[in-house]
């Protein structure tokens, strides 16, 4: 079973394709990825922060220590390049079951069911 990106959006910016923050200033954008099994219906959400190193540095200075999980770091924002990276990452997240696949995808973005216990 392989995951595919069905849709993506950001609650922070209206249009990811035209988002162009200044490269010489700290920036970040939160992106929700809707990912589901290839050839089957349904999807689940995975959240990732895309940012530059200046934003990471500012955040780490402000709080002392920053855990880098669920972050993609780019020198300048390029949605096409980010999407290509995400697609490439997803292509390597195969597994026998959707929970196994989703756990792998969860290394990229925060899975809505991460740590869920029935």
């Amino acid at each position: 079973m392989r995951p595919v990106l069905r849709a993506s959006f950001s609650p922070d910016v209206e249009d990811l394709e035209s988002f162009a923050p200044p490269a010489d200033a700290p920036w970040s954008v939160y992106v929700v990825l809707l990912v589901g099994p290839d050839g089957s219906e349904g999807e689940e959400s995975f959240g990732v922060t895309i940012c530059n190193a200046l934003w990471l540095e500012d955040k780490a200075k402000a709080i002392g220590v920053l855990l880098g999980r669920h972050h993609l770091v780019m020198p300048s924002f390029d949605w096409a390049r980010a999407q290509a990276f995400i697609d490439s990452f997803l292509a390597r997240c195969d597994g026998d079951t959707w929970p196994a696949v989703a756990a792998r995808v969860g290394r990229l973005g925060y899975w809505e069911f991460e740590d869920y216990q029935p």
Side-chain angles (χ1 to χ4, degrees):
M1 176 176 298
R2 290 189 179 269
V4 293
L5 181 63
R6 300 207 197 285
S8 55
F9 67 91
S10 174
D12 296 338
V13 299
E14 199 168 310
D15 181 21
L16 288 167
E17 291 183 16
S18 64
F19 179 59
D24 60 346
W27 58 265
S28 74
V29 61
Y30 186 76
V31 177
V32 177
L33 308 172
L34 299 178
V35 178
D38 192 17
S40 298
E41 291 186 20
E43 70 253 348
E44 294 173 4
S45 70
F46 297 82
V48 62
T49 299
I50 303 175
C51 62
N52 67 359
L54 294 172
W55 182 86
L56 283 175
E57 182 180 4
D58 282 0
K59 193 76 163 170
K61 285 178 183 177
I63 62 175
V65 176
L66 177 66
L67 179 63
R69 192 165 182 213
H70 304 137
H71 288 71
L72 292 181
V73 182
M74 303 178 77
S76 59
F77 186 81
D78 180 337
W79 180 236
R81 180 171 281 176
Q83 274 189 300
F85 177 87
I86 292 164
D87 288 339
S88 174
F89 185 94
L90 294 177
R92 298 185 307 271
C93 292
D94 60 338
D96 293 332
T97 65
W98 176 250
V101 171
R104 289 187 176 107
V105 177
R107 296 174 186 150
L108 171 67
Y110 180 78
W111 181 25
E112 65 180 307
F113 295 110
E114 187 169 310
D115 298 328
Y116 172 75
Q117 303 262 335

